Amino acid sequence: MSSWIDFYNTIKADEWPDCQNEDDFDLLPEEIKSECINNYNYVPGSFNLKSQISNLLETNKSFCVLPFVHLFVNETNDIAYCCHAKFLKKHTPNFDFIEDDDYNDVRTKMKQGTKVPKFCNTCYEVEKHNGESYRMLATKEWLTKLQTSDVDKIDSKLVYYDVRNDSLCNLNCRMCDPKSSTQLQKEYKEMGIPFNINYNKSKLNEIVNYDTVEKIYIAGGEPTIMPEVSKLLTKCIENNRTDLDLTLLTNGTNVNSKFESLLRQLTNVNLTLSIDGYDEVNRYIRWPSDWKTITNNIEKLKQITPRICVNVTVSILNITRLYELVKFLESVLPNPPTILLNECMVGINDYYVPFNFPNNNLALDKLSLLKETYSYKNEDYFKNKVDYFLNVFQQNTSNIDTLRNFFIFNDKLDNHRGIYLRDVIPELEQFRKLTNE
């Protein structure tokens, strides 16, 4: 989200020419102040702090606020410092977020500026290519909330939960894995594709402390069909915590009346839709999603909250198709649109990493189209991410063996589902010939 000064600079500059910096915020009319605070996440006094936090991230390449405020627990009860980090250990009833030795060791190293590549290399790789990593985004958000840029003043307090307690899902997304989708588990079994899951489900409602929680991030699986998530929403209502920051990730295919009713009772709901392509491209990637259902549900969800954004998992499949999707999303999302581009990561399903795309020039041509979009011109994070992809593809070297393995695996899914790459994404299909040379 933009700060109030970005809002002023891009939309209102001609109306209030005297407003040039943080101290001028009080010169704005009350209704504009309210809009800045409510819709642009502006915290009075944060403009100068913003530059101080940026300086911290520039001088300390290790520090991340998440191990101080955040707990991630996945579907198989694995703990990590965040959803992008390598797993640390299993969660147990005796886990103590404040006193845990592993957490305290990482906290000390991060304050000292010592990197921890064993767990956090994903962010370091993004930053190596001048991208804005999750470490940077989360630290900016939470240090602004904490109103400090001094790492020595940051105490450990668990206020932010990302607990993914179930893999119950209604889609078979190609870049996903069976651990996160019951539909993929079923399909992989039918196809004879081996996978190993040692389930010891996390108990979402036993982990969250409703007295101290400030933010909950819910993903899946598909949260709208997960019973434990409905219980959590009900518990938030029963505990008078309808004001907490609740971010829910959904594929947008299921807006049932019970779930909708629960969401309407919460006052700070943020919805993130997972959409990876326009129309048939999304259906091919997020099989077997229906485009008309998704577009209808976007309109329904806009009636529940204006805080809707879209997360696009960028992969080898859609790296050339992002422009048409972004243009569509900009036309239907609440203004200003927020579109998050996050690449399919190594270690999840390596076949689908976007940088496996075998033609840098084609990828660069298609990615460059994004420079024409509203999001690129007005949203810093979106622009930074596009520039990151462009930077990587300018020096990327694809691996023919990796590409060959992609086609072998992807063909298995195509044949089982009866939908084929050549019909949906022919510009990728044409490079199959490279694997035969």
Side-chain angles (χ1 to χ4, degrees), residues 145-318:
K145 290 181 178 181
L146 296 171
Q147 286 290 281
T148 186
S149 61
D150 185 347
V151 297
D152 292 325
K153 293 182 179 179
I154 299 171
D155 297 321
S156 301
K157 182 180 180 182
L158 180 53
V159 293
Y160 174 23
Y161 296 82
D162 181 346
V163 183
R164 310 184 184 193
N165 77 296
D166 202 339
S167 59
L168 184 63
C169 194
N170 59 344
L171 296 184
N172 305 51
C173 300
R174 288 176 185 257
M175 64 289 171
C176 193
D177 67 281
K179 180 185 67 180
S180 300
S181 170
T182 50
Q183 289 300 310
L184 275 181
Q185 292 171 25
K186 184 187 304 183
E187 184 174 44
Y188 277 30
K189 286 179 181 179
E190 292 172 353
M191 297 171 62
I193 299 176
F195 63 93
N196 181 34
I197 301 176
N198 182 20
Y199 264 118
N200 180 18
K201 283 189 181 182
S202 57
K203 293 179 172 55
L204 176 61
N205 286 290
E206 294 180 11
I207 292 175
V208 175
N209 184 328
Y210 290 89
D211 293 328
T212 58
V213 61
E214 295 181 17
K215 181 175 182 177
I216 302 177
Y217 181 91
I218 303 175
E222 171 51 36
T224 61
I225 62 174
M226 290 160 51
E228 190 77 1
V229 173
S230 293
K231 291 179 184 177
L232 179 139
L233 300 182
T234 301
K235 208 162 184 178
C236 288
I237 296 167
E238 292 173 347
N239 284 271
N240 294 318
R241 291 309 317 273
T242 57
D243 61 331
L244 65 82
D245 182 347
L246 176 70
T247 299
L248 187 142
L249 183 68
T250 173
N251 58 41
T253 62
N254 178 61
V255 181
N256 60 74
S257 57
K258 178 183 177 182
F259 204 83
E260 181 180 349
S261 175
L262 289 170
L263 290 181
R264 287 185 180 278
Q265 297 179 64
L266 303 172
T267 60
N268 194 12
V269 175
N270 301 273
L271 298 177
T272 300
L273 303 179
S274 293
I275 302 175
D276 293 343
Y278 181 80
D279 204 347
E280 274 298 294
V281 175
N282 193 68
R283 181 170 180 266
Y284 181 80
I285 297 173
R286 293 186 171 271
W287 177 260
S289 59
D290 177 72
W291 188 247
K292 185 176 181 180
T293 298
I294 292 172
T295 56
N296 288 341
N297 284 342
I298 289 175
E299 296 306 313
K300 289 182 182 179
L301 294 172
K302 283 159 66 175
Q303 303 305 310
I304 297 175
T305 176
R307 294 181 292 276
I308 298 176
C309 71
V310 169
N311 182 76
V312 182
T313 301
V314 181
S315 69
I316 189 175
L317 297 170
N318 63 2

Side-chain angles (χ1 to χ4, degrees), residues 73-86:
V73 186
N74 74 356
E75 304 90 341
T76 53
N77 224 30
D78 297 299
I79 292 176
Y81 298 117
C82 78
C83 63
H84 296 277
K86 298 295 183 183

Side-chain angles (χ1 to χ4, degrees), residues 323 326-327 330 369-377 382:
Y323 177 74
V326 169
K327 291 295 288 184
E330 288 179 346
L369 294 174
L370 293 170
K371 292 183 176 182
E372 303 172 10
T373 63
Y374 173 94
S375 297
Y376 185 89
K377 295 175 182 177
F382 184 92

